[in-house]
């Protein structure tokens, strides 16, 4: 098989890139290790920035999101039961859309099926070849047979544990990493959200987040020690601890129900530079990870692939290499801004097991600043709603 761009991974990065390339008349094939159902079963992000919404529009996959997504004009932060609402519309005249990553993925899969794009699910042993030569290609096995996909370029959209980043010689990449000493336990339930807006709450026992997928489906998270497993957390224990960490008025009106899904995710900041090595371009979690506290991971991925699609369109449409040559540098500015914001939100709102009273006072002072000066609230709003890509 031959194509212009071979895309590794059918998460949001790979699927969005595939559709953006299709809209620009650029042929592409996606190779995904898992089945389509498995990809859809991963419960992850919920908050879309304006530029992510624009990306889905350009990809022709925004119709259902516009119909069913919930516009959020602000967010609530709670620090040891003191509240502050950051009003995005008032501060910067913008909003975010709450619409689950699962639904984004489903819409992109449907758009791809409608345009006849090829996605090979359950492609095993994907290997990248000759990425620093003139004839890059990818091999994989499918249904027991080995296949070869020749291409001009490879887009590594295969997440943090994928094969693409690992195919770049180690001495070419510079990596930066911070692993946080806790994880997030997430619970999905068919219960109405406790509040219309998201609530990020800091409590001495740890962080809690009240998020949602619709007016009837909630997504809640609790900070837990890394040694905990899902089996340690019955639904009853989860709801009791969530109530404990929320201000009493919210705890009193929290509606609980059986969990549809529960999982624990570790928290990490990670960047590898550069995002290009000859014919290989990394995008999304393959190149960088943020802790979920700033709701930035999916949005960064969507920004990367919009840059990459623009760059390929310029290359194939105008014969210009400027976009592909500037890809990494262009993405990195936004990546580091999102890394900073996600790290800041994580430090502000979590209880650090090795933290002391001084750090606790610093967190309180930081929170007070958000309450006292509108500049601080504006800065948070700007970063949360999203910096331009
Ligand atoms: P993905 O989604 O990991 O997809 C990569 C795909 O590549 C496949 N793959 C391979 N395919 C072929 N061959 C190989 N060797 C392969 N290795 C891997 C995988 O099967 C997979 O299908 O990466 P992508 O596309 O870059 O998308 C990134 C986002 O998924 C991620 O950044 C977000 O989910 C992060 N995130 C959030 N982001 C936000 O913007 N807002 C949020 O509110 C938000 N909340 C979250 C989150 C992530 C979370 N977890 C579980 C880490 C909340 C949580 C709990
Ligand atoms: C989610 O709804 O899954 C979600 C929302 C906001 C975050 C992280 C996760 O910061």
């Amino acid at each position: 098989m031959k194509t212009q761009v071979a895309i590794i991974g059918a998460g949001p990065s790979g699927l969005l890139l595939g559709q953006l390339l299709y809209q620009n008349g650029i042929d592409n094939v996606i190779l995904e290790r898992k089945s389509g159902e498995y990809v859809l079963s991963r419960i992850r992000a919920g908050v879309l920035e304006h530029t992510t919404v624009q990306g889905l529009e350009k990809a022709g996959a925004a119709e259902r999101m516009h119909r069913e997504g919930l516009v959020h004009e602000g967010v609530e932060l709670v620090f040891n039961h003191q509240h502050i609402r950051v009003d995005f519309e008032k501060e910067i005249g913008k909003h975010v859309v709450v619409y689950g990553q699962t639904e984004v993925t489903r819409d992109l899969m449907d758009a791809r099926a409608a345009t006849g794009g090829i996605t090979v699910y359950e492609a095993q042993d994907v290997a990248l070849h000759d990425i620093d030569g003139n004839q890059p290609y990818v091999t994989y096995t499918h249904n027991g047979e080995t296949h070869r996909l020749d291409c001009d370029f490879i887009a590594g959209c295969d997440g943090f544990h994928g094969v693409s980043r690992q195919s770049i010689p180690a001495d070419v990449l510079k990596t930066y990493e911070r692993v946080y000493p806790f994880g997030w336990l997430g619970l999905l339930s068919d219960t109405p959200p406790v509040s219309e807006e998201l609530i990020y709450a800091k409590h001495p026992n740890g962080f809690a987040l009240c998020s949602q997928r619709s007016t009837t489906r909630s997504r809640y998270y609790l900070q837990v020690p890394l040694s905990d497993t899902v089996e340690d957390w019955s639904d009853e224990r989860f709801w009791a601890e969530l109530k404990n960490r929320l201000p009493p008025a919210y705890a009193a009106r929290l509606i609980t129900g059986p969990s549809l899904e529960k999982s624990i995710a570790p928290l990490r900041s990670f960047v590898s530079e550069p995002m290009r090595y000859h014919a290989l371009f990394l995008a999304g979690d393959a190149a960088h990870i943020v802790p979920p506290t700033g709701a930035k991971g999916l949005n960064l991925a969507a920004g990367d692939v919009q840059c990459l699609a623009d760059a390929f369109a310029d290359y194939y449409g105008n014969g210009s290499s400027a976009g592909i040559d500037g890809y990494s540098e262009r993405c990195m500015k936004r990546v580091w801004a999102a890394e900073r914001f996600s790290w800041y939100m994580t430090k502000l709102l979590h209880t650090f097991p090795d933290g002391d009273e001084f750090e606790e006072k610093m967190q309180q002072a930081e929170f007070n600043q958000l309450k006292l000066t509108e500049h601080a609230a504006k800065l948070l709003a700007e970063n949360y709603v999203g910096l331009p890509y």
Side-chain angles (χ1 to χ4, degrees), residues 67-285:
R67 226 176 31 243
E68 296 178 13
L70 304 170
V71 169
H72 280 214
E73 296 183 351
V75 72
E76 194 166 345
L77 303 182
V78 179
F79 197 93
N80 297 343
H81 296 345
Q82 302 158 264
H83 298 241
I84 173 181
R85 175 172 184 267
V86 178
D87 186 328
F88 305 146
E89 282 294 349
K90 180 177 130 222
E91 299 297 349
I92 55 166
K94 290 185 182 156
H95 59 256
V96 291
V97 175
V98 171
Y99 189 68
Q101 177 166 333
T102 313
E103 305 315 316
V104 170
T105 308
R106 198 189 306 278
D107 294 346
L108 286 166
M109 283 177 172
D110 289 349
R112 188 160 183 87
T115 53
I118 301 175
T119 308
V120 182
Y121 286 99
E122 302 185 41
Q124 305 300 315
D125 308 319
V126 169
L128 284 54
H129 306 273
D130 205 21
I131 44 180
D132 57 355
N134 292 328
Q135 291 179 311
Y137 63 99
V138 183
T139 53
Y140 61 97
T141 54
H142 188 240
N143 292 335
E145 274 180 42
T146 301
H147 299 265
R148 171 177 168 140
L149 176 62
D150 288 287
C151 54
D152 301 332
F153 299 107
I154 302 170
C157 300
D158 48 352
F160 183 63
H161 300 287
V163 67
S164 299
R165 194 181 64 254
Q166 290 164 24
S167 306
I168 302 176
D171 59 350
V172 172
L173 288 181
K174 171 115 179 84
T175 59
Y176 306 81
E177 187 167 37
R178 167 122 341 152
V179 177
Y180 300 89
F182 38 71
W184 278 20
L185 167 65
L187 179 147
L188 188 72
S189 63
D190 271 336
T191 53
V194 67
S195 170
E196 271 183 25
E197 293 182 345
L198 268 61
I199 305 170
Y200 289 79
K202 156 93 169 76
H203 179 274
N205 283 10
F207 170 75
L209 170 61
C210 304
S211 183
Q212 53 193 261
R213 292 292 176 269
S214 68
T215 52
T216 56
R217 182 168 283 191
S218 298
R219 179 72 166 160
Y220 295 106
Y221 294 97
L222 291 177
Q223 174 189 342
V224 294
L226 278 172
S227 52
D228 279 15
T229 64
V230 170
E231 291 68 41
D232 294 328
W233 288 86
S234 64
D235 288 2
E236 293 66 32
R237 181 176 175 208
F238 185 98
W239 293 120
E241 184 56 21
L242 181 61
K243 282 185 181 172
N244 186 32
R245 293 187 194 182
L246 294 179
Y250 285 122
R253 66 169 196 249
L254 178 76
I255 298 177
T256 65
S259 62
L260 303 172
E261 191 264 3
K262 264 189 288 197
S263 50
I264 295 183
L267 267 67
R268 183 194 300 270
S269 301
F270 174 86
V271 178
S272 96
E273 291 188 85
M275 290 170 64
R276 176 196 183 180
Y277 178 68
H278 299 278
L280 171 62
F281 296 78
L282 301 180
D285 279 14

Side-chain angles (χ1 to χ4, degrees), residues 19-66:
Q19 286 321 99
L20 293 172
L21 294 181
Y22 169 81
Q23 301 289 358
N24 283 288
I26 301 169
D27 191 48
N28 63 89
V29 171
I30 303 181
L31 303 177
E32 164 61 48
R33 183 167 56 182
K34 302 283 188 184
S35 67
E37 299 84 73
Y38 181 90
V39 171
L40 285 173
S41 72
R42 291 189 295 230
I43 310 293
R44 289 183 170 177
V47 177
L48 308 185
E49 295 176 5
H50 181 59
T51 49
T52 305
V53 169
Q54 284 177 325
L56 292 170
E57 285 167 350
K58 282 188 256 171
E63 199 199 314
R64 192 163 68 99
M65 180 211 44
H66 281 310

